[in-house]
């Protein structure tokens, strides 16, 4: 038995999709454990580029099981669209399984997400408006509707009608907006559930069996550590647990079965949406990184904010996730810069700190302390670590030394072959 948690160590979009696909070759199952279709994971295979939002990035290996865990919130419309998108491209989805404990996203979640954001004005989070927060809120509020409910059509309809009426009261009276059409939503969803039923199972039974028979399981995180509801830059974050702590609960396995955690890290930092970002670059260097790295959101198309790699944040991420390896991605994007900077500490009230503050007020007073590193020229056709330019290796060694975790995977392009494995990490 072997289990590996793969997660974003920053603010999302680190290249989790690419690395998950790469490691899926040696996994038997790939499991998503949190988030929803707010995620956008890109996988490039040959000349094809695939964008996934809900379905695990292991789906390209037909024979492997792809599992959506109970910690994920599922919009059935997006799910069915994604299945169709993959099938149209010749990708088989019959090995997809969905937890019967996963919560379902309804149109009132999307509507409330939109209205709440609008109501916050300048303070808005900049969500993906996919209804993620409102759906998790209903789950915690114990009024959510789960996948297991779809097998009891009358009860499903009754719960749904009650929820629509309750939410319409909020939509009309709190936000003074137009109510949603109850009958239309019910009809739409009764159609979806018939199509989804075949994928829904108790994944706790399946995973237990697979673990006992020695399978290799890869857990694919969405979003990133700094977007975690507890450990992120609250309230500018998502409503789930992308951190390794979220895996056991979100996938239905015991935490004592989890063995290793791989943090996927972009060679610089990006962030979509609002919220603090100590190493953000508001100059032409930031623009150059955005252009070279094509830093535009996979889900919403928004331009990503760009900045230097923040090792204070990464150390924090390594600590709370128990990272055993790092995968450093987009190293190629940093080609052609004369000098690069690594943030090695924060200056706070005249002192240097190396921990990530919980309070945004404290964080706003922190000024990054940088170490300058010589850049590197373009490189091509590199297959192993030793062939990388000397300064790339220096950059990597500095990260390893300061974070205390080895960079076992180096990604130098979006394609499978543009991946350097320094060690077997499963
Ligand atoms: P995810 O959300 O963590 O899966 O990341 P996204 O897919 O949203 O964004 C990462 C983007 O970078 C995608 O377009 C990937 O194809 C691309 N990518 C991943 N690794 C590399 C790399 O090493 N180099 C380059 N140039 N692009 C990469
Ligand atoms: P992947 O899996 C980057 C951000 C949003 C917003 C905040 C809350 O592709 O890395 P939400 O819709 O979740 O309530 O939005 O979280 N966000 C992401 N940023 N990558 C993602 O996913 C994200 N998913 C949500 O931009 O700031
Ligand atoms: Mg993404």
């Amino acid at each position: 038995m072997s289990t590996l948690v793969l997660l974003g160590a920053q603010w999302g979009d680190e290249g989790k999709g690419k690395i998950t696909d790469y490691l899926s070759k040696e996994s038997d199952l790939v499991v998503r454990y949190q988030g929803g279709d707010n995620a956008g994971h890109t996988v490039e295979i040959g000349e094809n580029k695939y964008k996934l939002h809900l379905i695990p990035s292991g789906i390209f290996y037909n024979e492997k099981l792809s599992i959506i865990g109970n910690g994920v919130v599922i919009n059935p419309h997006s799910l069915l669209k994604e299945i169709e998108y993959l099938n149209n491209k010749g990708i088989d989805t019959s090995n997809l399984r969905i937890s019967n404990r996963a919560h379902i996203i309804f149109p009132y979640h999307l509507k409330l997400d939109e209205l709440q954001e609008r109501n916050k004005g300048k303070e808005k989070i900049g969500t993906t408006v996919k209804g993620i927060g409102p759906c998790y809120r209903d789950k915690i509020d114990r009024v959510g509707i789960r996948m297991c409910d779809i097998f009891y059509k009358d009860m499903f309809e009754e719960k749904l009608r009650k929820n629509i009426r309750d939410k319409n009261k909020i939509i009309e009276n709190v936000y003074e907006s137009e109510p949603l059409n109850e009958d239309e939503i019910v009809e739409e969803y009764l159609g979806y559930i018939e199509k989804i039923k075949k994928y829904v199972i108790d994944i706790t039974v399946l995973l237990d069996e697979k673990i006992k028979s020695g399978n290799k399981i890869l857990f694919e995180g969405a979003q990133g550590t700094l977007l975690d509801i507890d450990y992120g830059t609250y309230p500018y974050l998502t409503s789930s647990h992308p951190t390794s702590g979220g895996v056991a609960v979100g996938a239905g396995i015991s935490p004592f079965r989890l063995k290793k955690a791989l943090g996927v890290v972009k060679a610089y930092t990006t962030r979509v949406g609002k919220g603090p970002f100590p190493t953000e670059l508001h100059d032409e260097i930031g623009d150059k990184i955005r252009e070279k790295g094509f830093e535009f959101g996979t889900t919403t198309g928004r331009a990503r904010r760009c900045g230097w790699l923040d090792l204070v944040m990464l150390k924090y991420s390594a600590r709370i996730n128990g990272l055993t390896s790092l995968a450093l991605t987009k190293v190629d994007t940093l080609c052609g810069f004369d000098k690069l900077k690594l943030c090695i500490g924060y200056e706070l009230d005249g002192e240097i700190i190396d921990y990530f503050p919980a309070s945004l007020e404290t964080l706003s007073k922190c000024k990054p302390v940088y170490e300058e590193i010589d850049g590197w020229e373009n490189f091509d056709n590199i297959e192993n670590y030793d062939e990388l330019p000397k300064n790339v290796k220096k950059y990597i060694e500095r990260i390893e030394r300061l974070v205390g975790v080895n960079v076992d995977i180096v990604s130098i392009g979006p394609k499978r072959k543009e991946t350097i494995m320094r060690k077997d990490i499963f």
Side-chain angles (χ1 to χ4, degrees), residues 12-16 38-42 297-299 304:
D13 303 324
E14 297 90 347
K16 297 176 293 294
N38 49 348
H41 295 185
T42 318
T298 312
T299 299
R304 295 175 183 150

Side-chain angles (χ1 to χ4, degrees), residues 328 330-333 335 375-397 400 407-413 418-422:
L328 190 70
K330 303 197 95 161
V331 171
D332 54 306
T333 301
C335 289
W376 51 85
E377 286 309 310
N378 285 338
F379 53 79
D380 223 349
N381 292 325
I382 286 187
E383 285 179 13
N384 59 60
Y385 188 76
D386 292 336
E387 294 169 44
L388 283 167
K390 173 176 99 268
N391 288 342
V392 174
K393 286 186 272 189
K394 272 194 186 161
Y395 192 75
I396 291 174
E397 280 154 24
E400 290 180 325
V407 174
D408 291 327
I409 301 178
V410 183
S411 176
I412 52 171
E418 293 166 316
T419 315
I420 299 170
M421 282 289 282
R422 298 177 70 192

Side-chain angles (χ1 to χ4, degrees), residues 49-170:
K49 189 171 179 170
Y50 303 92
K51 292 183 179 187
L52 299 171
H53 302 283
L54 274 167
I55 296 179
S57 308
I59 195 73
F60 304 99
Y61 290 89
N62 284 349
E63 70 288 5
K64 324 252 169 168
L65 281 173
S66 289
I67 298 177
I68 301 181
N70 50 281
V72 177
V73 285
I74 302 171
N75 179 328
H77 174 71
S78 308
L79 177 72
L80 291 166
K81 223 170 70 183
E82 198 162 311
I83 291 172
E84 195 187 342
Y85 158 81
L86 289 170
N87 293 163
N88 285 341
K89 287 181 177 264
I91 312 295
D92 180 23
T93 48
S94 54
N95 267 342
L96 176 68
R97 303 286 182 275
I98 298 171
S99 166
N100 53 3
R101 292 179 172 84
H103 280 249
I104 303 174
I105 295 181
F106 293 94
Y108 48 80
H109 293 129
L110 281 92
K111 180 82 177 171
L112 287 169
D113 199 350
E114 179 201 319
L115 293 171
Q116 278 167 226
E117 281 284 89
R118 198 187 303 160
N119 193 46
K120 282 186 176 137
K122 260 179 43 211
E123 308 297 314
K124 75 173 185 179
I125 294 166
T127 72
T128 57
V129 205
K130 299 283 179 188
I132 306 297
C135 185
Y136 278 116
R137 186 171 61 220
D138 276 0
K139 170 176 174 171
I140 301 303
D141 208 13
R142 295 162 293 184
V143 296
I145 300 178
R146 299 185 295 164
M147 281 295 170
C148 53
D149 296 331
I150 70 178
F151 296 96
Y152 297 90
K153 203 169 160 185
D154 292 345
M155 181 269 283
F156 175 86
E157 182 173 338
E158 201 179 309
K159 279 189 177 179
L160 179 54
R161 285 191 181 277
K162 170 149 180 36
N163 277 2
I164 300 169
R165 284 185 206 134
D166 287 348
K167 304 300 181 194
N168 270 344
K169 284 183 202 152
I170 302 172

